[in-house]
């Protein structure tokens, strides 16, 4: 039995991005606090536009009065602010031409040169920026600024050349940023620690240290560094959201809700991402009603902000959650999701939700159509998941194993990708060694997830290590019929037929709440395992029949369901009778 996808898989888990310490745009990255003024947006925009025009007029007059590098730099800034970018760059280049040096070889007006360089840099003229930064004796901060831009452009060699010319402690945070951009995460960690010893309240360095720790697999240290970053810059949206995201993915839902409440109490304006994270935290807690309420809030906030990506993501999750809660019929939810896909074809979350809702072979046409319409916008991880889901619905075990393996390679920390790979490789194509290798890499804490525990024990037992599987399952199998049946499988693999069959029968008695379909599936798994282990040939047939589960009729819709199609393909490959029974 497998539930291969979590309630969280259709939300965007964005990879943490290092913060560039020398060129952070505080306006873009800050959480917007609730305004205490009553000015309307249109009125405020008009005031700002008028002020910018006045600044431009004054800058032109100043240049006419006295043509200096300071006046030129001021005019370049004013032109850029008024969106006259080409003219701004042209004026900035005049600053470089007229820049002069003192008798000691230093720039006479270093501030004007730096301002002009920033104008050219923002215009994406990186070659000219590097030329000036290397030909003129610009100050250390300007070199760091250009080095950061070179790093953003992927020219790490030139960035290191510039940063090596700087003799300043200020270069440590930027050097670490460049190393993180190169994915040299271990090299960045000691540099960031040194930077934080000098400046304990440096939010960028704390954030980047969190990114580095997360990439090398030190989750606890990453979380501690992220918390430090939020306390150093409590108004930074990028840092706050990154910390909250880490709390969600590391399984701390209560901390998520507490942290967001703290931010809101401090006057931070509610944004859709906060409500989404509250919904995800509620899903981890299993409180689907509260999650649904938070998603409604997120939908409204995203719509008001004109954030189509978040609106489509939230709306699709809301539809699926309402279907799970029984507030809307599955067919109606699928119809609305398909319509949402037509309206927002660039949203991979919508297609992922269609994939999750597609649990019958009859859903294949809608899923394929949505995938084809949106595949150019779907990231590789979700593409692999959706392709896995399509192959499973088709009953194509070989392709399902290929796609599940690809999905896991792209998301090695995703336990649901691991579960899918274990089942697809193990039960689907009977490559038990490969499936067990996935289990050994993934299974760290037996309490992490019951599905992961069940699937890991299943494939470990079938790969020739039944005693390890028994030790994994015994502490938890007494109250769960799924785990108890898999424990029975492990005993069969260990050669204890009587104990294995007894556990299967106990699981069957406990399965009344699971329904007829579960009992039918469990009976066929037992029959398949007995054949795969060769027990049908080494055990007295009459005794085997007496000890085994009684045959249970197949569900009427078995040919629509991937869990039965998977077994049918295996039985067909070996020529076993269908339905499987003993």
């Amino acid at each position: 039995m497998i539930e291969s996808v979590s309630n969280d898989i259709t939300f965007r888990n964005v990879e943490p991005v290092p913060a560039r310490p020398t060129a952070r745009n505080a306006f873009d990255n800050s959480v917007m606090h609730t305004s205490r003024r009553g000015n309307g947006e249109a009125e405020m925009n008009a005031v700002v536009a008028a002020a910018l025009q006045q600044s431009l007029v004054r800058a032109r007059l100043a240049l006419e009065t006295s043509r200096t590098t300071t006046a030129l730099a001021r005019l370049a800034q004013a032109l850029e602010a008024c969106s006259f970018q080409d003219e701004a760059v042209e004026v900035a280049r005049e600053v470089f031409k007229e820049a002069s040096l003192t008798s000691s070889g230093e720039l006479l007006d270093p501030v004007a040169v730096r301002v002009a360089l920033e104008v050219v840099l923002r215009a994406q003229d990186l070659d000219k920026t590097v030329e000036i930064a290397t030909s003129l004796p610009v100050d250390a901060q300007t070199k760091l600024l250009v080095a950061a831009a070179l790093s953003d452009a992927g020219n790490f060699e030139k960035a290191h050349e510039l940063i090596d010319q700087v003799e300043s402690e200020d270069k440590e945070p930027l050097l670490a940023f460049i190393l993180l951009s190169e994915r040299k995460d271990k090299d960045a960690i000691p540099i960031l620690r040194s930077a934080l010893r000098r400046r304990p309240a440096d939010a960028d360095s704390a954030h980047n240290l969190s990114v580095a720790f997360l990439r090398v697999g030190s989750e606890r240290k990453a979380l501690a560094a992220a918390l430090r970053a939020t306390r150093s810059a409590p108004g930074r949206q990028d840092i706050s959201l990154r910390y909250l995201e880490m709390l969600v993915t590391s399984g701390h839902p209560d901390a998520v809700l507490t942290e967001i409440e703290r931010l809101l109490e401090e006057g931070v304006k509610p944004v859709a991402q906060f409500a989404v994270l509250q919904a995800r935290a509620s899903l981890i807690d299993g409180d689907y009603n509260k999650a649904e309420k938070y998603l409604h809030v997120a939908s409204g906030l995203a719509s008001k902000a004109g954030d189509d990506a978040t609106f489509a993501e939230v709306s699709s999750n809301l539809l699926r959650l309402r279907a799970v809660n029984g507030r809307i019929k599955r067919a109606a939810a699928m119809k609305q999701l398909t319509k949402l896909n037509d309206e927002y074809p660039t949203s991979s979350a919508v297609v992922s939700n269609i994939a999750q809702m597609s649990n019958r072979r009859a859903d294949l046409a809608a899923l394929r159509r949505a995938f084809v319409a949106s595949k150019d916008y779907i990231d590789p991880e979700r593409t692999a998941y959706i392709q896995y889901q399509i192959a499973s619905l088709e009953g194509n075990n070989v392709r399902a194993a290929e796609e599940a393996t690809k999905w896991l390679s792209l998301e090695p920390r995703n336990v649901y990708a691991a579960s899918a790979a274990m089942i697809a490789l193990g039960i689907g194509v009977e490559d038990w060694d490969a499936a067990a290798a996935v289990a050994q890499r993934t299974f760290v804490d037996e309490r992490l997830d019951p599905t992961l525990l069940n699937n890991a024990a299943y494939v470990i037992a079938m790969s020739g290590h039944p005693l390890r599987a028994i030790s994994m399952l015994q502490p938890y199998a007494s109250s769960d019929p799924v785990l108890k049946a898999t424990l029975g499988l492990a005993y069969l693999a260990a050669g204890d037929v009587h104990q294995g069959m007894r556990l299967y029968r106990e699981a069957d008695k406990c399965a009344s709440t699971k329904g007829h379909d579960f009992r039918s599936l469990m009976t066929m798994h037992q029959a398949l395992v007995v054949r795969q282990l060769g027990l049908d040939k080494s055990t007295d047939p009459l005794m085997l029949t007496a000890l085994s589960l009684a045959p249970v009729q197949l569900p009427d819709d078995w040919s629509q369901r991937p869990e039965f199609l998977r077994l049918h393909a295996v039985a067909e490959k070996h020529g076993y009778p269908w339905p499987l029974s003993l």
Side-chain angles (χ1 to χ4, degrees):
M1 301 294 293
I2 175 174
E3 177 61 39
S4 65
V5 185
S6 75
N7 284 316
D8 192 44
I9 196 66
T10 45
F11 291 102
R12 286 170 289 176
N13 283 320
V14 181
E15 182 182 359
V17 177
R20 192 170 76 171
T22 58
R24 173 169 50 84
N25 186 324
F27 179 79
D28 286 344
N29 289 334
S30 66
V31 175
M32 298 300 290
H33 287 254
T34 304
S35 174
R36 303 190 185 279
R37 296 186 295 181
N39 290 10
E41 185 177 354
E43 182 182 347
M44 182 62 73
N45 287 342
V47 170
V48 170
L52 290 174
Q53 288 295 327
Q54 288 177 4
S55 296
L56 179 57
V57 170
R58 287 195 293 268
R60 290 189 188 279
L61 287 173
L63 184 62
E64 290 175 4
T65 303
S66 175
R67 188 179 177 83
T68 63
T69 50
T70 298
L72 284 166
R74 181 183 176 188
L75 177 57
Q77 274 188 317
L79 286 165
E80 183 187 36
C82 292
S83 300
F84 299 127
Q85 191 174 64
D86 291 342
E87 190 178 352
V89 170
E90 186 180 338
V91 173
R93 290 186 176 219
E94 290 297 313
V95 175
F96 307 141
K97 291 177 183 178
E98 299 191 18
S100 56
L101 305 179
T102 65
S103 58
S104 59
E106 296 178 351
L107 283 168
L108 190 63
D109 191 353
V111 175
V113 171
R114 182 176 181 181
V115 167
L117 267 175
E118 289 180 351
V119 170
V120 174
L121 186 59
R122 283 191 290 268
Q124 306 299 313
D125 192 348
L126 194 56
D127 291 340
K128 184 64 177 178
T129 308
V130 173
E131 177 193 330
I132 299 303
T134 53
S135 63
L136 291 178
V138 296
D139 62 280
Q141 287 299 320
T142 302
K143 286 185 177 179
L144 293 179
L145 179 75
V146 178
L150 285 164
S151 176
D152 286 344
N155 191 341
F156 301 119
E157 183 180 353
K158 197 69 179 178
H160 279 293
E161 285 181 15
L162 267 181
I163 207 169
D164 287 345
Q165 298 173 17
V166 175
E167 296 296 331
S168 168
E169 293 176 355
D170 290 339
K171 79 176 187 179
E172 282 188 328
L174 180 60
L175 177 58
F177 168 78
I178 294 172
L179 291 169
L180 287 172
S181 300
E182 295 178 276
R183 308 296 292 200
K184 296 179 180 178
D185 308 310
K186 288 183 180 179
D187 294 340
I189 289 173
I191 297 171
L192 288 166
R193 281 176 161 165
S194 174
L196 284 167
R197 282 194 293 271
R198 291 191 175 91
R199 292 188 180 134
D202 181 356
D204 287 319
S205 291
H207 170 81
N208 288 345
L209 184 60
S210 173
V211 173
F213 277 136
L214 190 65
R215 287 180 178 176
V216 300
S218 299
E219 286 191 17
R220 290 185 180 179
K221 291 180 180 179
L223 200 57
L227 174 61
R228 178 176 180 173
T230 64
R231 297 309 183 255
S232 298
R236 283 274 296 277
Q237 186 182 65
D238 58 336
I239 285 177
S240 293
L241 288 175
R242 183 61 228 152
Y243 174 55
L244 290 166
E245 178 88 23
M246 287 184 64
L247 287 173
V248 167
T249 54
S250 59
H252 295 84
D254 293 340
V256 173
L257 298 174
T258 301
E259 180 71 7
I260 292 177
E261 285 175 8
R262 184 188 69 80
L263 289 169
L264 296 176
E265 286 174 1
E266 290 182 357
V268 173
K269 183 180 178 180
V271 291
Q273 287 80 3
F274 281 172
V276 168
L277 288 161
Q278 287 170 313
R280 292 172 64 180
S282 300
L283 286 172
I284 294 173
D285 273 342
D287 192 338
Y288 298 136
N289 290 329
K290 186 176 286 187
E292 191 174 330
K293 290 178 182 177
Y294 282 132
L295 287 176
H296 273 295
V297 173
S299 176
L301 290 170
S303 178
K304 185 177 180 181
D307 184 351
D308 287 349
T310 301
F311 178 78
E313 175 189 70
V314 169
S315 298
S316 62
N317 278 291
L318 190 53
L319 280 169
R320 184 166 61 84
L321 192 56
R322 292 187 68 206
V324 169
N325 287 342
R327 303 189 196 281
I328 184 174
K329 290 185 178 180
R330 196 184 70 87
M334 281 291 287
K335 185 176 181 180
Q336 291 185 49
L337 281 169
T338 302
K339 182 180 178 183
L340 200 63
N341 175 243
D342 292 337
E343 294 174 359
Y344 301 97
T346 62
S347 173
S348 59
V350 176
V351 187
S352 291
N353 273 307
I354 292 174
Q356 291 218 60
M357 290 288 292
S358 299
N359 58 8
R360 295 292 187 273
R361 199 167 191 170
D363 299 323
L364 263 174
L367 177 55
R368 284 188 184 126
R369 176 178 172 273
F371 179 60
V372 169
S374 306
K375 65 181 179 180
D376 291 341
Y377 307 102
I378 303 176
D379 57 46
E381 303 91 72
R382 282 186 176 167
T383 295
Y385 158 64
I386 294 166
Q387 295 275 44
Y388 160 75
Q389 193 77 338
I390 289 172
S392 298
L393 290 168
E394 291 173 335
N396 188 333
N397 287 1
V398 173
R399 198 159 69 84
E402 291 172 354
E403 296 298 339
T405 303
K406 187 186 300 181
W407 179 22
L408 181 60
S409 71
L410 293 166
E411 290 192 285
R413 299 165 63 82
N414 187 330
V415 296
Y416 301 99
S419 279
M422 281 184 251
I423 294 302
L425 288 167
I427 297 175
V429 297
E430 299 174 291
D431 188 346
W432 299 110
D433 289 341
V438 172
Q440 297 288 3
R441 288 198 308 269
T442 309
F443 196 78
V444 178
D445 183 349
E446 285 109 356
R447 296 166 297 176
L448 182 63
D449 183 271
T451 300
L452 189 66
L453 167 61
N454 181 72
N455 297 346
Y458 193 123
V459 299
I460 286 171
M462 293 300 290
S463 69
H465 304 280
L467 297 182
R468 164 66 175 146
I470 289 169
S471 69
M472 291 166 63
L473 289 165
Q474 270 183 330
Y476 311 103
S478 60
S479 59
D480 189 312
V482 178
L483 297 179
K484 184 168 286 189
T486 304
L487 181 59
L489 176 153
Y491 272 103
L492 290 180
D496 192 338
V497 176
H498 284 273
Q499 176 69 348
M501 291 299 191
R502 183 182 67 79
L503 286 164
Y504 265 111
R505 291 195 301 273
E506 287 182 8
D508 186 53
K509 289 178 183 177
C510 298
S512 57
T513 58
K514 295 282 186 179
H516 170 272
D517 295 357
F518 170 77
R519 294 183 63 242
S520 174
L521 195 60
M522 181 171 61
T523 301
M524 286 197 290
H525 269 282
Q526 182 195 61
L528 178 61
V529 164
V530 164
R531 287 176 171 84
Q532 289 170 326
L533 294 171
L535 296 176
D536 57 326
K537 293 181 174 61
S538 62
T539 308
D540 178 68
L542 291 176
M543 183 187 75
L544 198 61
T545 302
L547 294 175
S548 66
L549 297 172
V552 178
Q553 186 177 359
L554 282 168
D556 293 338
D557 64 345
W558 73 266
S559 63
Q560 290 286 316
R561 298 167 59 173
E563 63 269 31
F564 287 94
L565 290 170
R566 183 182 298 116
L567 294 180
H568 179 259
V570 176
E572 196 172 52
K573 180 175 76 173
H574 292 293
Y576 298 151
W578 183 261
L580 291 161
S581 64
L582 293 173

